[in-house]
Amino acid sequence: MPDSLKHLLLVEDEAPLRQAIAEQLSDRGYQVEQAESGEAALAHLAAFAFDIIVSDLRLPGIDGSAVIEAAVARYPHIIAIVVTGFGTVKDAVEAIKRGACDFVSKPFQIDELLHVLDSAIEQRRLKSENAYLRSQLEERYRFEDIIGKSQPMARLFQLLETVAPTNSTILITGETGTGKEVVARAIHHNSSRRNHRFVALNCSAIPETLLEAELFGHVRGAFTGAVGNRQGRLEQAHKGTLFLDEVGTMSTALQMKLLRVLQEREFERIGDSHTIKVDVRVIAATHSDLARLVAEGQFREDLFYRLNVIPVQLPPLRERKEDIPLLVQHFLEKFEAERDAHVPERGAALRGPKPSGARLAVSQEAMRRLMAYHWPGNVRQLENAVERAVAFTAGRSQIDVDDLPAEVQQAQETAANSTVTLPEEGMDLAAFVANIERELIQRSLERTGGNKGQAARLLNLKRTTLVEKLKRLQNEFSL
Ligand SMILES: Nc1ncnc2c1ncn2[C@@H]1O[C@H](COP(=O)(O)OP(=O)(O)OP(=O)(O)O)[C@@H](O)[C@H]1O
Ligand SMILES: [Mg+2]
């Protein structure tokens, strides 16, 4: 039970039963106030903001469902549970309509009530977490489609803000799925060229011979199959932005021609002698290490410098794990909306009074696995995992571990096991622990630049204790 949700009002007219439940709940850490009637309950509610109310439905005077209604009206976030008589499910349904979260039927075991309480609290927590994530998403991003609040992303946004409005050539590097194309588009849309075209050309997706024609266009008869005159991508991007994706795969011959375009901003269509002037901004992207390709002689050095005027490096997802919940929320909303668009009744339900945000929640355990996984395919892979999970959860309100791809499900096990494993043949516990101690002390000293006082504070040790340990370690390990 979370510490913050422990104040509970128990409304029950049968004194011995009320007393028994109150004691059991107190034993589990709840702070219980008791009310023996509806009137008494209302008085309690007026005086104090309870986290939880558990109320019998049948009370003399003001009945339980009126109490629940009053409680929810006053405190929309209160967790309300009703206790019904045997076989009066209809009344329970009525109470839920009036705002109760759940119900238990008399006679019940205390464990039943505790279980209902636990799951109501968990529901509430997920709901408020969703609301929090949503409020973060709704903050205006200047680069609307790029989700991320981590340090590396904050630095990226700062850089993009500075460079987007300029005409400078940009080289975006990053592993697959890190958002190179999203960033390229965002740069275009935040530049003065936004009213002209963003033309993308994936250099690795087109055979070499066709790539040249794609880029520069051709005139009729320039080569076999060139039946008419054709504009190339460069011309299409005039006054706009040309995005050259996977530029590292270009042949050296074509690299040479591209270099000329970057230097002179002019070119000829294939088979033509007429020179065409263009005003394009070039953004290139690659997942390979271009500097290494230059060193290996596979990429022209002069072209590299022409492209790499402003390098923009996208961090892999595993280096910004704190963005994962935000991205998950973003993709949940996207795929839920897509799913609802295909299911008319759901679409209609969406047009109810509270349409915004994802209704699907992600269980904490599932989120832990999502954050523990190393995501070699980065954001694209995460997006696919969420899409799959949304499809799997049709009809349920929560994404669980089982809904995740197998490799993600296993993520936490390896993370948890990797720090401490007990080898088959056994181990020397004292030596193992001493090693960990030594390593942590060393790291704390590194982090504080050798300042023992600060290092001791980092480890919650007295300075003298740290000094003693250091002496001992110096003897043992010659640290
Ligand atoms: N920061 C982000 N916020 C929201 N969505 C993102 C983000 N980064 C990537 N995506 C999404 O992830 C997917 C992959 O992005 P993108 O195509 O830009 O990656 P890439 O780096 O070009 O990958 P590749 O090298 O495989 O071409 C897209 O669906 C994109 O919308
Ligand atoms: Mg791409």
Side-chain angles (χ1 to χ4, degrees):
M1 177 193 52
D3 273 353
S4 53
L5 292 176
K6 61 181 180 190
H7 292 285
L8 186 150
L9 178 62
L10 176 64
V11 194
E12 167 63 61
D13 56 331
E14 281 178 58
L17 177 62
R18 187 179 68 236
Q19 203 57 45
I21 302 174
E23 268 168 34
Q24 305 251 33
L25 290 175
S26 305
D27 286 349
R28 313 294 161 115
Y30 290 96
Q31 298 230 351
V32 185
E33 290 289 332
Q34 302 182 33
E36 74 289 349
S37 67
E39 285 79 355
L42 294 185
H44 274 287
L45 285 167
F48 187 78
F50 288 89
D51 303 307
I52 305 167
I53 177 169
V54 177
S55 176
D56 195 355
L57 267 189
R58 293 278 159 77
L59 297 167
I62 300 174
D63 77 351
S65 64
V67 171
I68 295 293
E69 198 168 30
V72 174
R74 187 183 282 265
Y75 307 113
H77 293 292
I78 200 166
I79 295 172
I81 308 288
V82 291
V83 179
T84 66
F86 179 72
T88 51
V89 174
K90 220 174 96 229
D91 294 348
V93 172
E94 185 54 36
I96 284 171
K97 276 194 195 146
R98 294 196 188 196
C101 307
D102 209 342
F103 70 98
V104 280
S105 307
K106 277 185 191 172
F108 58 87
Q109 301 288 320
I110 187 71
D111 283 328
E112 239 181 288
L113 175 61
L114 288 171
H115 178 74
V116 165
L117 277 172
D118 281 350
S119 65
I121 289 171
E122 170 74 355
Q123 274 312 110
R124 173 57 39 86
R125 201 185 48 68
L126 286 169
K127 223 164 137 183
S128 58
E129 194 148 297
N130 259 354
Y132 166 70
L133 288 173
R134 195 155 57 240
S135 72
Q136 290 226 316
L137 273 181
E138 280 166 4
E139 260 180 45
R140 264 180 59 84
Y141 288 97
R142 263 165 295 203
F143 293 90
E144 304 88 68
D145 298 326
I146 310 173
I147 308 296
K149 292 219 136 188
S150 56
Q151 263 276 307
M153 290 304 279
R155 276 200 297 271
L156 176 71
F157 288 128
Q158 220 171 24
L159 175 65
L160 293 184
E161 240 166 74
T162 325
V163 302
T166 70
N167 268 325
S168 306
T169 304
I170 292 179
L171 179 64
I172 305 174
T173 53
E175 291 177 13
T176 179
T178 45
K180 295 185 289 295
E181 181 152 356
V182 191
V183 165
R185 287 179 190 278
I187 293 172
H188 172 73
H189 286 291
N190 284 275
S191 75
S192 58
R193 297 172 174 267
R194 73 177 70 85
N195 294 324
H196 298 275
R197 293 180 69 178
F198 174 88
V199 177
L201 180 59
N202 187 336
C203 305
S204 70
I206 301 175
E208 180 64 33
T209 45
L210 293 182
L211 184 58
E212 186 177 351
E214 273 302 319
L215 195 53
F216 300 107
H218 59 76
V219 292
R220 195 154 65 112
F223 50 86
T224 331
V227 284
N229 293 340
R230 195 164 153 235
Q231 244 190 3
R233 304 286 172 105
L234 263 168
E235 274 174 80
Q236 292 173 357
H238 183 54
K239 296 196 169 191
T241 304
L242 177 69
F243 177 51
L244 293 176
D245 206 356
E246 292 311 339
V247 75
T249 60
M250 237 182 218
S251 73
T252 32
L254 203 51
Q255 287 175 30
M256 179 74 210
K257 294 185 177 166
L258 178 60
L259 181 65
R260 175 173 166 229
V261 176
L262 289 177
Q263 281 170 342
E264 323 282 344
R265 304 282 156 177
E266 62 180 41
F267 65 95
E268 291 88 33
R269 289 184 185 177
I270 301 176
D272 197 4
S273 56
H274 172 67
T275 299
I276 299 172
K277 289 243 170 230
V278 278
D279 167 19
V280 288
R281 176 191 213 171
V282 174
I283 302 179
T286 175
H287 74 270
S288 40
D289 181 354
L290 274 196
R292 207 197 64 224
L293 293 183
V294 169
E296 290 170 356
Q298 294 185 49
F299 201 83
R300 291 184 65 104
E301 190 171 16
D302 43 11
L303 178 59
F304 173 63
Y305 287 118
R306 276 282 164 187
L307 290 174
N308 200 31
V309 178
I310 298 172
V312 172
Q313 271 185 349
L314 301 190
L317 189 54
R318 65 184 161 280
E319 285 173 17
R320 52 181 191 106
K321 293 199 162 178
E322 58 186 289
D323 287 336
I324 289 177
L326 274 178
L327 283 161
V328 167
Q329 183 73 15
H330 171 74
F331 293 133
L332 267 184
E333 293 185 5
K334 172 177 160 188
F335 291 119
E336 269 187 65
E338 276 178 24
R339 187 176 69 181
D340 291 344
H342 290 104
V343 185
E345 318 86 76
R346 288 223 186 94
L350 247 191
R351 284 189 289 278
K354 284 181 191 160
S356 74
R359 283 152 301 133
L360 260 175
V362 179
S363 77
Q364 275 309 81
E365 187 53 36
M367 190 59 88
R368 279 194 283 275
R369 310 267 166 122
L370 286 166
M371 291 176 76
Y373 186 59
H374 62 289
W375 299 110
N378 295 293
V379 184
R380 178 182 295 110
Q381 191 188 4
L382 175 65
E383 184 173 1
N384 292 341
V386 173
E387 178 172 17
R388 181 192 127 112
V390 169
F392 278 11
T393 44
R396 280 182 285 134
S397 63
Q398 177 167 309
I399 290 176
D400 287 318
V401 174
D402 289 350
D403 302 315
L404 304 176
E407 63 276 16
V408 182
Q409 288 188 30
Q410 283 147 21
Q412 203 198 26
E413 273 124 48
T414 44
N417 288 345
S418 65
T419 40
V420 181
T421 48
L422 179 59
E424 281 296 315
E425 67 282 7
M427 71 189 313
D428 182 347
L429 178 65
F432 184 82
V433 173
N435 245 323
I436 290 185
E437 185 176 56
R438 176 178 57 108
E439 192 161 327
L440 287 172
I441 289 177
Q442 219 161 15
R443 285 197 199 161
S444 67
L445 285 168
E446 276 164 20
R447 194 179 302 172
T448 58
N451 183 321
K452 289 180 189 140
Q454 282 177 17
R457 260 194 305 270
L458 267 184
L459 299 171
N460 196 20
L461 294 176
K462 284 200 199 118
R463 189 179 185 283
T464 48
T465 314
L466 178 72
V467 172
E468 265 168 38
K469 281 184 186 295
L470 263 175
K471 265 195 209 132
R472 190 164 44 74
L473 287 170
Q474 265 154 357
N475 291 336
E476 281 170 29
F477 296 95
S478 50
L479 193 79

